[in-house]
């Protein structure tokens, strides 16, 4: 009955337009040519073999897809005895075998996996479990949206990683830390929202890309959420997630036993503290039987943690993990533990070292249901960072990679930055200890499946999404990042280009011109953004004291946060070498350490992350550092401006509201890129005393002004302008 009511609530969710631009995102189900997909006729019946709530979702989704894409209302029948002609049959492997024993060819499917097959006029979507059935249906609908012929079909797929979660940094008052798309879809005014239709719609989106968990509250966790009355409300969110196979999890504060429970201490080794966690976790599971687990940020940026009692992250993680273990829950314990009161005078101090320094002695000391969650870079989601050396330092510990979908330091969704290529660089980095052995990439490490890391029991991906009520992520083209995160967590071998194209086709249809334009914009965007912001791995140069938006070159220097660029009149960059610097480079396995330690082999794009050099230092490209800064910034601002007419070529070919929203944001970006360019080139020109070879710095704005006047003379949609700002 409850399930039926929930289904009703979901099918009667507010109409698409009330959800703002971006909804229904990539589940647009635009009409396709049915004959291209089904040359022998469109299946007219959906047969659901089982009665699991996820199989109900699967059949409902098929009906939606049929209606939207094939403009056909299918007959939906349940049970194995249905009379079939042309049909799609959905069920678990066990159900399919019971239905037709002859279809069992011995290939067994793991949980969450699926197989799509055709036999005669019947298409079969078979899952290793009900969640796999749902994933299989979404995969089939993707094939249809891309107009692939389904005349023949036999393919199987399963996720590389068991943990595929988004983290949402939502606060009970409805704000979202580092959220750039309006208020929370979960909370309002200190309470869980009464209307959870957007939460349900979000779970559907997540499920369509294989995401199986969602942490609904800020890692800077609010203690009150663990109160009984709040848990009862949070259980409603879990119910709407459940329909799509998404398990809810919570961020918790390690001081809860004291701050909420009234104990004298929150020392993780105190038996009363352990008992408190056990009783609290049991209470959570009574409210939410399929609760996924907890996310913990401790001893970081002012959050309480075990160090206060001289205990370690392993002690803290394990005390909660032991409470979760009987229920099948996990702990994601963040490796983002660092001191934000570093002494900037100390040339050996280095925030980048913190992960390995704090965790390497703990390898093998975490319980099996603890996963150490590691930000992909050692600092904090900057536009360019090397991969975190912590991935190589914990061979006997479950690990997951933390990626940031919300664009905190990468333009806050007012700049277009497709992040998948950046994430791929981290995932594909080879961390093997010696070149003699086989490659050991970060994606293998987090998948927990390679022999060198045989003690892994689980691993995966967590992505900080921070979706809000405004088109999920605000910028319509930023949704490719959420989509790409899910697809990579499922299969990290997919290319950035393939993911972009898939997302584009599902979102905008198969028009080759639209695909070409959107793919170009997405795939060029990271390089463009990096060009007019922080060069050569120095950091983003974003204003780190304020809202992390716009240039603030000096804000990184002379404070305890450790995002130093060490720029003075003579040179720039952090010396992280073993020979003369902080020794950070020595935290990498030998082959990578050798590559970064030597100026001869350190890649240009990471030069200033690893080394301190004079502005006149010549890069592998042949340019000096200073000339590189000038050239890339002028190029980058021009390239940002050029995105506007590229997008304008799609006028009338994409939905009007999306067209206008993207145009507005690209125009803003073009202006803001000029602000970035001028701030950085002028600051470094003054600092280095080296003039631009092309004499552009301080002179160029006149040209830009002239160009922008020309542009604004052309007709454009109302309410848009080229003016930059930081609203
Ligand atoms: O850099 C910081 C962000 C914080 C965030 C923190 C983290 C939630 O600016 O807003 O806190 O990273 O990842 O914990």
């Amino acid at each position: 009955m409850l399930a039926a009511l929930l289904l009703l609530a979901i099918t009667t969710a507010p109409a698409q337009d009330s959800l703002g631009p971006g909804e229904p995102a990539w589940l647009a189900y635009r009409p396709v040519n049915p004959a291209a997909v089904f040359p022998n006729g469109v299946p007219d019946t959906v047969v659901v073999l089982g009665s699991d709530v996820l199989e109900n979702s699967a059949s409902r989704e098929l009906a939606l897809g049929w209606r939207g894409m094939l403009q056909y209302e299918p007959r939906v029948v349940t049970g194995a005895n249905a009379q079939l002609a042309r049909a799609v049959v959905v069920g678990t492997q066990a159900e399919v075998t019971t239905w037709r024993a002859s279809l069992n060819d011995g290939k067994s499917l793991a949980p969450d996996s699926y197989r799509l097959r055709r036999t005669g006029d019947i298409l079969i979507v078979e899952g290793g479990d009900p969640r796999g059935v749902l994933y299989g249906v979404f995969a089939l609908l993707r094939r249809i949206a891309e107009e692939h012929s389904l005349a023949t079909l036999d393919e199987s797929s399963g996720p590389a990683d068991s943990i595929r979660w988004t983290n949402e940094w939502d606060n009970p008052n409805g704000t979202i830390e580092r959220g750039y798309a309006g208020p929370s879809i979960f909370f309002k005014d200190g309470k869980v929202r009464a209307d959870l239709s957007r939460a349900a719609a979000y779970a559907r989106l997540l499920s369509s890309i294989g995401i199986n968990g969602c942490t609904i509250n800020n890692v800077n966790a609010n203690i009150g959420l663990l109160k009984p009355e709040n848990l009862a409300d949070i259980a409603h969110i879990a119910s709407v997630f459940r329909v799509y196979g998404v398990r809810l999890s919570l961020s918790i504060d390690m001081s809860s036993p004291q701050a909420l429970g009234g104990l004298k201490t929150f020392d993780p080794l105190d038996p009363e503290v352990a008992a408190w966690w056990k009783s609290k976790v049991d209470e959570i599971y009574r409210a939410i039987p399929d609760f996924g687990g907890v996310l913990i940020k401790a001893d970081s940026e002012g959050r309480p943690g075990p160090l206060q009692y001289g205990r370690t992250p392993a002690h803290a993680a394990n005390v909660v993990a032991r409470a979760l273990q009987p229920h099948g829950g996990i702990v994601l314990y963040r490796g983002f533990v660092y001191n934000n009161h570093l002494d900037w005078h100390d040339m050996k101090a280095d925030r980048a070292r913190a992960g390995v320094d704090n965790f390497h002695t703990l390898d093998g000391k975490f319980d099996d249901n603890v996963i150490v969650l590691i930000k992909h870079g050692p600092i904090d989601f900057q536009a360019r960072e090397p991969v975190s050396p912590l991935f190589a330092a914990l061979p006997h510990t479950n690990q997951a990679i933390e990626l940031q979908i919300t664009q905190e330091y990468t333009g806050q969704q007012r700049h277009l930055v497709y992040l998948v290529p950046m994430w791929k660089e981290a995932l594909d980095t080879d961390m093997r200890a010696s070149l003699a052995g086989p490659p050991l990439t970060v994606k293998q490490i987090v998948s927990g499946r390679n022999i060198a890391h045989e003690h892994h029991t689980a691993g995966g991906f967590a992505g900080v999404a921070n979706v809000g009520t405004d088109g999920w992520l605000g910028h319509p083209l930023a949704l490719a990042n959420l989509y790409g995160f899910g697809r990579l967590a499922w299969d990290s071998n997919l290319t950035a280009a393939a993911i972009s194209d898939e997302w584009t086709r599902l979102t905008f249809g198969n028009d080759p011109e639209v695909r070409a334009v959107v793919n170009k914009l997405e795939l060029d965007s990271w390089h463009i953004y990096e060009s007019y912001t922080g060069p050569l791995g120095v950091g983003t140069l974003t204003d780190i004291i304020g809202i992390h938006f716009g240039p603030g070159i000096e804000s990184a220097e002379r404070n305890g946060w450790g995002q130093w660029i060490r720029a003075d009149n003579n040179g720039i960059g952090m010396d992280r070498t073993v020979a003369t610097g902080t020794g950070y480079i020595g935290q990498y396995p030998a082959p990578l350490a050798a590559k970064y330690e030597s100026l001869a082999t350190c890649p240009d794009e990471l030069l200033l992350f690893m080394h301190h050099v004079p502005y006149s230092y010549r890069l592998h490209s042949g340019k000096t550092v200073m000339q590189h800064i000038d050239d890339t910034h002028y190029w980058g601002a021009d390239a940002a401006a050029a995105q506007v007419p590229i997008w304008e070529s799609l006028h009338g070919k994409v939905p009007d509201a999306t067209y206008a929203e993207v145009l507005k944001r690209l125009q803003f970006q073009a202006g803001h890129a000029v602000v970035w360019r001028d701030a950085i080139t002028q600051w470094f020109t003054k600092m280095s005393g080296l003039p631009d070879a092309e004499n552009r710095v301080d002179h160029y704005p006149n040209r830009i002004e002239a160009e922008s006047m020309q542009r604004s003379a052309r007709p454009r949609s109302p309410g848009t302008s080229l003016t930059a700002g930081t609203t």
Side-chain angles (χ1 to χ4, degrees):
M1 179 62 183
L2 180 64
L5 285 177
L6 282 170
L7 290 184
L8 190 68
I10 288 156
T11 43
T12 55
Q16 288 169 14
D17 54 356
S18 70
L19 292 172
E23 221 283 338
W26 54 84
L27 297 178
Y29 296 150
R30 299 176 187 291
V32 299
N33 172 9
V37 183
F38 294 108
N40 303 324
V42 173
D44 54 15
T45 307
V46 172
V47 180
V48 197
L49 296 178
S51 56
D52 190 279
V53 65
L54 297 178
E55 291 175 278
N56 290 337
S57 298
S59 75
R60 196 175 56 254
E61 202 62 38
L62 276 177
L64 278 174
W66 250 239
R67 244 173 260 146
M69 294 192 283
L70 304 165
Q71 320 245 283
Y72 196 96
E73 188 62 50
R75 191 167 63 106
V76 179
V77 294
T78 44
N81 297 323
Q83 294 298 308
L84 307 178
R86 284 194 314 271
V88 186
V89 175
V90 301
T92 61
Q93 188 157 43
E95 289 158 357
V96 170
T97 304
T98 308
W99 175 63
R100 295 250 167 110
S102 59
L103 286 169
N104 186 345
D105 59 8
K107 288 186 197 158
S108 83
L109 290 171
D112 288 10
S113 303
Y114 63 81
R115 181 172 179 186
L116 309 177
R117 277 194 276 180
R118 170 180 281 287
T119 155
D121 275 343
I122 298 178
L123 282 179
I124 301 164
V125 180
E126 196 175 358
D129 57 1
R131 204 189 258 116
V133 174
L134 183 56
Y135 294 156
V137 159
F138 279 117
L140 179 72
L141 292 169
R142 278 202 293 274
R143 303 288 171 288
I144 297 174
E146 293 184 353
E147 290 190 331
H148 290 301
S149 168
L150 297 179
T152 59
L153 182 66
D154 188 358
E155 63 178 66
S156 309
S157 183
D161 300 289
S162 54
I163 294 160
R164 305 180 303 278
W165 289 15
T166 64
N167 297 165
E168 317 289 336
W169 290 351
D170 294 33
N171 300 310
N173 66 6
T175 60
I176 304 176
E177 180 153 349
R178 315 300 176 194
Y180 309 110
S184 170
I185 62 172
F186 304 121
F187 302 105
K188 193 173 179 216
D189 301 335
K191 289 203 166 66
V192 169
R193 280 180 181 272
D195 176 2
L196 289 175
S197 51
R198 286 185 196 195
Y202 187 46
R204 174 174 167 246
L205 277 184
L206 295 182
S207 167
S208 76
I209 47 175
I211 290 176
N212 60 1
C214 176
T215 312
I216 57 165
N217 66 308
N218 194 348
V219 281
N220 294 329
N222 178 291
I223 288 173
L225 282 180
L226 293 185
K227 286 183 183 165
E229 62 273 26
N230 289 328
L231 289 176
D233 287 343
I234 289 169
H236 295 135
I237 304 179
S239 302
V240 302
F241 280 6
R242 190 169 299 126
V243 178
Y244 287 101
V246 176
R247 293 171 97 185
L248 182 142
S249 52
L250 289 171
S251 298
I252 57 166
D253 183 310
M254 279 314 294
S255 72
S256 302
Q258 186 180 54
L260 183 66
L263 302 187
K264 283 197 285 300
T265 175
F266 65 92
D267 178 351
L269 293 192
D270 184 298
E272 279 189 54
V273 169
W276 190 88
W277 280 117
K278 185 171 175 345
S279 136
K280 182 50 73 179
V281 166
D282 289 348
E283 181 191 336
I284 295 176
Y285 276 92
R286 279 195 296 278
I288 308 171
D290 58 350
F291 183 66
V294 299
L295 172 61
I296 299 176
K297 172 179 179 180
D299 294 315
S300 173
E301 302 183 334
R303 306 307 296 175
L307 294 184
Q308 177 172 333
Y309 299 99
R311 312 299 187 202
T312 68
H315 292 130
N318 292 345
V319 69
V320 186
R322 283 166 200 168
L324 288 159
Q325 195 275 337
H327 303 281
I330 61 161
V331 172
L332 285 185
Y333 197 97
R334 295 176 96 219
F336 186 63
V337 174
Y338 75 101
N339 170 9
N340 63 324
H341 300 286
L342 287 177
D343 178 6
W344 59 270
H345 301 91
D346 177 0
M347 298 305 279
K348 298 288 178 194
D350 187 358
R351 170 169 164 184
R353 294 187 54 111
V356 173
D357 285 349
N358 285 314
F359 280 81
H360 79 281
T361 57
L362 303 176
D363 187 30
K365 298 198 171 141
F366 292 93
D367 281 12
D368 280 354
N369 60 331
V370 176
I371 294 98
V372 174
L373 179 60
I374 304 171
K375 286 191 181 184
H376 69 88
I379 300 287
D380 193 5
F381 303 133
Q382 307 297 290
R384 168 79 65 175
E385 288 187 54
V387 79
S388 170
L390 187 52
F391 289 110
L394 301 173
H396 307 104
T397 302
N398 298 318
Q399 299 177 46
I401 188 167
E402 183 173 359
L403 302 170
Q404 200 186 39
I405 298 158
T406 190
Q407 295 172 229
E408 177 178 356
Y409 286 96
T410 50
Q412 306 193 349
Q413 283 106 282
R414 281 178 279 179
H415 293 234
L416 172 63
V417 185
Y418 177 53
L419 295 161
V420 174
M422 180 169 99
W423 298 337
K424 290 280 296 179
E425 282 199 5
L427 288 163
D428 290 342
T429 306
D430 186 352
M431 305 292 268
R432 72 180 119 172
S434 119
L435 283 177
L440 177 59
T441 57
V442 170
K443 70 186 171 205
Q444 288 172 307
I445 292 172
V446 299
S447 81
R449 295 209 177 153
N450 56 84
I451 294 157
H453 291 251
E454 63 193 342
H455 296 280
H456 284 271
T457 51
F461 285 60
V464 183
N466 295 357
V467 297
T469 57
D470 170 14
W472 305 117
L473 287 175
H475 198 316
L477 300 187
L479 281 167
N481 289 326
L482 180 57
Y483 184 85
F485 168 77
R487 298 292 287 132
L488 275 185
W490 185 272
D491 178 1
S492 40
N493 291 322
L494 290 171
T495 66
I499 292 173
S500 167
D501 193 43
E502 213 178 89
W503 175 80
T504 303
R505 295 173 79 163
L506 302 185
T507 305
F508 295 115
N510 294 301
D511 178 341
E513 195 185 333
V514 175
R515 281 168 65 191
V517 165
V518 175
N519 283 323
K520 178 175 172 46
L521 288 170
E522 296 280 9
L523 291 168
D524 290 349
S525 60
W526 174 38
H527 182 52
I528 292 174
Y529 182 80
E530 186 185 15
S531 296
Y532 61 76
T533 56
L536 302 167
V538 77
T540 51
L541 302 187
T542 303
D543 177 4
I544 67 155
I545 303 301
I547 55 167
H548 298 186
F549 189 70
I553 301 145
E554 294 213 37
S555 67
E557 301 277 58
R558 292 176 290 282
N559 59 48
W561 292 94
Q563 287 182 234
W564 309 316
I565 60 172
R566 300 274 194 223
D568 59 19
N569 295 131
N570 302 313
I572 177 172
M574 277 285 290
D575 181 357
R576 293 190 158 107
T577 62
V578 175
T580 55
T582 69
Y584 163 81
I585 292 176
Q587 293 185 336
Y588 285 101
L592 262 190
K595 176 173 162 187
Y596 294 146
E597 179 82 9
S598 159
L599 278 168
T601 49
C602 183
D604 283 351
E605 71 265 16
L606 289 174
L607 177 72
L608 302 180
F609 195 93
M610 304 291 179
H611 296 271
H612 182 84
V613 296
Y615 296 99
S616 57
Y617 177 80
R618 275 198 194 278
L619 303 169
H620 298 300
S621 69
K623 288 185 181 173
T624 64
V625 166
M626 190 58 229
Q627 198 54 50
H628 174 93
I629 292 175
D630 287 336
D631 289 351
T632 50
H633 284 74
Y634 281 92
W635 179 87
D638 286 353
Q643 294 180 133
V644 174
I646 293 174
W647 176 254
E648 283 174 326
S649 71
L650 294 188
H651 193 214
K653 298 195 162 103
V654 294
D656 287 348
T658 309
Y659 175 81
E661 190 62 35
V662 172
L663 182 61
K664 188 172 75 184
R665 288 173 194 254
L666 291 179
Q667 287 170 334
F668 174 87
Q669 181 181 356
H672 202 213
V674 172
V675 173
W676 267 101
R677 179 200 70 196
D678 291 347
I680 289 184
T681 55
Q682 289 174 21
W683 193 90
F684 281 106
T685 300
K686 280 198 195 93
M687 187 55 82
S688 68
L690 297 176
D692 173 29
E694 292 188 36
N695 199 27
R696 292 163 296 190
V697 180
D698 281 335
H699 301 282
Y700 199 82
N702 298 335
R703 202 186 104 200
I704 279 289
E705 214 172 288
E707 278 176 4
S708 93
M709 280 167 62
Q710 275 170 9
R711 239 184 260 125
S712 57
R714 278 191 279 131
R716 57 181 64 250
S717 48
T720 57
S721 87
L722 253 182
T723 319
T726 52
T727 52

